[in-house]
Each structure stands twice: as C-alpha cells, then as structure tokens.
Amino acid sequence: MTELVPGANVALPGGILTLRVPGPFDVSALITDDGGKVRGDSDFVFYNQPTASGARLQGEQLTIDPLGLRAGAGRVTVVISSADPAIPLARLPAPTLYVTGPGSHVLARFTPPRPQRETVLLLAEIYRRGGAWKLRALGQGYADGLAGIARDFGVDVAEDTSAPVGTAGRGNTAPYSNGQARQVNSVPDTDGFLGLVNSARARADSPPVSLDARLAAAARVHASDMAARGVLSSESPDGTSVYQRVTSTGYAYLTVGEHLVSGPRTPDEFVEYCLSTEQSRRTLCEPAFSQAGLAYVADRSGDLYWTALWARPFSPGELARTASEVVALTNAERTATGLRPLAVDLLLTNAAQAHSDDMVARAFYSHTSPDGTQPWDRAAAAGSTRRSIGENIACGQRSPAEVVLGWMNSPGHRANILKPAFTHLGIGLAGGGRMGTYWTQLFGA
C-alpha cells in the first residue's frame, strides 16, 4: 500500500476501483473531460444522484470503473464535505481516503492536512495518462461549499433555496442547490411503534428515541433479505452485515444495536417480545441510543420478519464525550484497587482513533494491522515517545459501560487496565464494518 502526500500520484491497475472515506463525510464525484469540465449535470455524482456511467456511490464508498465512464471522460475528481452542514470540516476527524483495486487489494491511502476554514475538499483525482489510469492526491480546499465546486466544474446550479431537494439546475435536473438543506431524515410514527418503545424506555429511565428514515431504510433492506431466505441472520450470504447496511445509507454512527425477530404480528407484539428477555430488553432500553428505525416484511407464507435498528449518530462532541466516559470508567477500576488514574494523552488518542478507523475501513479486527504494524508502531507514528505501550481492542459493544465491563472480565485486557506502570491513556472508537462499533484503548508509560 502506498501512503500518499498532497501532489503525489500512483499508477492504477486495470479493473474496478473502490474509494472509501470513513466517517461523517459526504462523498461526491465530478466526471470531466481532460479540460476539467463536466459535459452535463449527470456528471455530478452525490447523495441525491448516486449513479453515473462508470460510477456508483453507496454511502461512504465510491466505485469507479474507468472503462465504463461515458465517452470523452478523462478524469474523476473525488470531493468530500461534512455530512452535517452545521458542522465544519475543521471540527471533524481528519478524513482518510482508502483506494482498493480488484481482489480487495488496498492500493493507496491518503490523509490530507486537516481543513481550517474550508467547507469542501477536493480529495483526489483519477485521471487518464496515455492508455493508463493514475490517482493523484490533492487535498485542495474550497470555502464556498459543494455548489461552488460544482459551478467551477461546469454544473449548472440554481440559487433558489425555496425549491425542494432535487429540483435545482439546468432543466430542473441537477439535484443540488447552494444553501439547500439536506432531506429531513425523520419519519412519522404511523404504526405506534415509537410510542410503545419510548414508554418502555421511560420506565427504564432511558431518554426517548426518534425515528430516522435512513435507519428505517436499512432495516427494510435487511428484513426483506431475511424474509426472502426464510432465516434470521445478522448477515446476508455475501457477508454484508446489518451494520454495513446502516452505513451504506450514509448514516454515520457512534454506536448501534439491532433486534432481528420473526413471529410477532403487530408492533405491540414485537415490542413485547423485545422486552421478554434481559439481553433484548437492555438493547431496547439502552440509554446510549437516540434514534431508531423499524421494518417488517412478510415471507411467502405470510410470516413477518422484523428488523429494528437502534443508533446514536456520530458527531465530534459525542465522540469526545464517549471517549471521556471510557476513560472515567477505566480510571474508576484503577482507583478501586488503589492505583493512580491515567491521564489522557493526545498522541495516544490520535493513534487509538486511527486504529479504530483503520479496522473499520480495512475490515479487520486485530492488534496487528494488515501492513504488519503493531500498537507501539502506531503510537510512534503518531509522535509518541512513551517507552511502554499496551493496547486493548473490542468490537460490537454498544456503550462505554459495556466495553469496559467486557475488558475487565477478560484477564489479558484487565491486566492492561490495572497495570501499575501505565500512566497515560488514549481512546478511539469508530462505527461501521461487520461488527458495529470498534473500540481501542492505548496505554503508555
């Protein structure tokens, strides 16, 4: 794998390419000729227009088939912006682009300098040189939003912010308008599900949840898959997990949970079933969750297959709050045994967060990265000079309390938490991948 810096380029093999930018970002692409201009609004690929000839956007993942691009196309420019227009890029984690070729071989990785005032980044471009294709790292920022970039590339963008999403531009076909709000993701509670759930959560002293359209869409896809196969499963035959269905809708989360059930005939029966066992009740009443989505689909015999998804959306503030809670619970375990609490170390935190992000992006779960690096290598790469390094990882846990309890119930992880020599700590967590949330504790002395 090639680590790129701004301006660097790498030759690409033939075949389909996959570009991923994990995290709370919107990924877009502009397909242009060699002169850098689009042929029409259909060359702008983003969340409201996710496909074009040779290009397909699914959540954080952009698939490019250079040979399938429209005639005359010689360049694809990859663009990122904040998934939440209210949060500037400077307040989000540094974006990292992963480029994968045929056979899931990771070809390159690029992390640009953290944006300052920019609202949009030109992250990279795939371009044709002679008969071959290359990728160049960019990291160029824009301060006037996605519409400003679109205009510079030749997309006709309307300024009428009163128009509904999907009606701006040349011939009312370009689905972006400068200043337009994203589609509202709340959905009406048409079957009484939300009231039943929030009543149960109130009895457990948990805050209410709201319904989210993206979670509902992911739930429907998963419920439909289970009904078609007649089996309850968290994964489809191709290995796609219910958590990956969530991220494919563009929903970035800190923590996620699910109920997969068959048999109940009504939302009331479904909620009653979810409250019937301790483990299932904990999921429905988990205080960390703030949003939910529900779907149920009948199989050929009329039996219903249900999927309920529960999540807490990503935000920089929530990431910091969750990490701080893990630190507090870890230090409570240390002080209970007479040990000094650990101080938060920014460099260890950066390394821990990068490892959680990497496990999601490259679909692995290990202390050893696919390129062979170990915890102490990652700490050193982040700039840490601490002499002794230890690491705990976990995946699938839904809250700080659950993950720390799991570590304390494991002798090896418990030994790291209670090691007297350790003085500092960094926490990282990332949502996505096959197992939900991936957690990292990095200790130093």
Side-chain angles (χ1 to χ4, degrees):
M1 181 183 66
T2 302
E3 292 280 356
L4 298 174
V5 297
N9 60 66
V10 60
L12 298 172
I16 296 175
L17 305 167
T18 300
L19 296 87
R20 299 184 66 230
V21 185
F25 306 104
D26 274 337
V27 180
S28 309
L30 290 141
I31 301 168
T32 63
D33 55 27
D34 292 334
K37 294 295 183 181
V38 300
R39 176 175 292 179
D41 296 335
S42 61
D43 282 345
F44 187 18
V45 178
F46 72 123
Y47 56 84
N48 269 356
Q49 185 169 277
T51 59
S53 296
R56 180 177 177 82
L57 178 64
Q58 293 179 290
E60 65 187 25
Q61 180 170 295
L62 176 68
T63 303
I64 301 292
D65 179 4
L67 298 181
L69 295 172
R70 53 102 173 147
R75 184 180 304 170
V76 179
T77 303
V78 182
V79 181
I80 64 161
S81 55
S82 173
D84 184 345
I87 302 176
L89 285 174
R91 290 173 52 196
L92 297 179
T96 297
L97 171 69
Y98 296 87
V99 183
T100 305
S104 299
H105 176 61
V106 180
L107 304 173
R109 180 167 60 184
F110 173 51
T111 302
R114 184 182 294 274
Q116 298 301 315
R117 293 188 174 184
E118 299 91 341
T119 58
V120 178
L121 279 183
L122 301 184
L123 197 56
E125 62 181 6
I126 297 169
Y127 64 99
R128 184 175 53 205
R129 180 63 54 86
W133 290 83
K134 293 186 175 183
L135 179 136
R136 179 184 292 117
L138 298 176
Q140 176 186 347
Y142 270 63
D144 55 351
L146 195 57
I149 285 183
R151 279 195 206 90
D152 285 356
F153 279 77
V155 178
D156 193 7
V157 179
E159 296 290 347
D160 181 9
T161 60
S162 65
V165 173
T167 62
R170 185 183 303 131
N172 285 341
T173 59
Y176 188 86
S177 174
N178 187 28
Q180 268 183 353
R182 291 181 60 115
Q183 290 176 326
V184 176
N185 287 305
S186 61
V187 292
D189 182 22
T190 58
D191 52 16
F193 169 73
L194 188 62
L196 294 167
V197 165
N198 283 335
S199 177
R201 289 176 65 87
R203 292 194 297 272
D205 293 325
S206 294
V209 295
S210 60
L211 296 178
D212 183 271
R214 295 161 297 180
L215 293 177
R220 176 157 293 278
V221 171
H222 198 76
S224 297
D225 177 74
M226 293 192 301
R229 295 187 292 128
V231 62
L232 291 174
S233 175
S234 63
E235 293 187 358
S236 60
D238 65 1
T240 301
S241 76
V242 66
Y243 314 117
Q244 290 168 314
R245 296 193 196 283
V246 172
T247 55
S248 71
T249 68
Y251 188 104
Y253 64 82
L254 276 179
T255 184
V256 67
E258 81 289 338
H259 283 104
L260 309 176
V261 179
S262 66
R265 303 298 304 175
T266 65
D268 185 69
E269 290 182 12
F270 173 76
V271 172
E272 184 179 354
Y273 176 86
C274 292
L275 294 172
S276 64
T277 66
E278 178 61 29
Q279 181 175 353
S280 182
R281 182 166 56 253
R282 282 203 306 269
T283 298
L284 189 145
C285 297
E286 170 56 58
F289 297 141
S290 60
Q291 294 181 326
L294 175 73
Y296 45 96
V297 176
D299 66 7
R300 292 181 179 179
S301 65
D303 292 333
L304 296 182
Y305 283 77
W306 299 72
T307 298
L309 293 171
W310 316 87
R312 187 173 200 80
F314 176 91
S315 72
E318 286 296 325
L319 176 65
R321 182 196 62 78
T322 305
S324 294
E325 191 172 343
V326 175
V327 171
L329 291 169
T330 299
N331 280 334
E333 297 291 348
R334 287 179 63 89
T335 56
T337 62
L339 295 173
R340 295 181 62 183
L342 302 172
V344 174
D345 182 290
L346 179 59
L347 298 179
L348 294 180
T349 298
N350 291 341
Q353 185 60 51
H355 189 55
S356 287
D357 289 338
D358 196 27
M359 287 191 289
V360 170
R362 290 200 275 178
F364 74 97
Y365 176 64
S366 174
H367 294 289
T368 304
S369 300
D371 55 11
T373 56
Q374 302 287 342
W376 41 90
D377 301 318
R378 294 188 289 270
S384 176
T385 57
R386 300 200 177 277
R387 294 170 296 176
S388 179
I389 295 292
E391 184 180 78
N392 287 344
I393 59 175
C395 63
Q397 292 81 5
R398 297 164 180 174
S399 67
E402 187 176 341
V403 73
V404 173
L405 177 62
W407 280 328
M408 289 299 293
N409 287 336
S410 167
H413 299 94
R414 178 187 179 92
N416 272 338
I417 289 175
L418 299 182
K419 185 172 181 177
F422 285 144
T423 57
H424 289 78
L425 175 66
I427 302 296
L429 62 144
R434 294 180 64 183
M435 297 300 293
T437 303
Y438 290 69
W439 307 76
T440 301
Q441 277 186 317
L442 198 59
F443 303 87

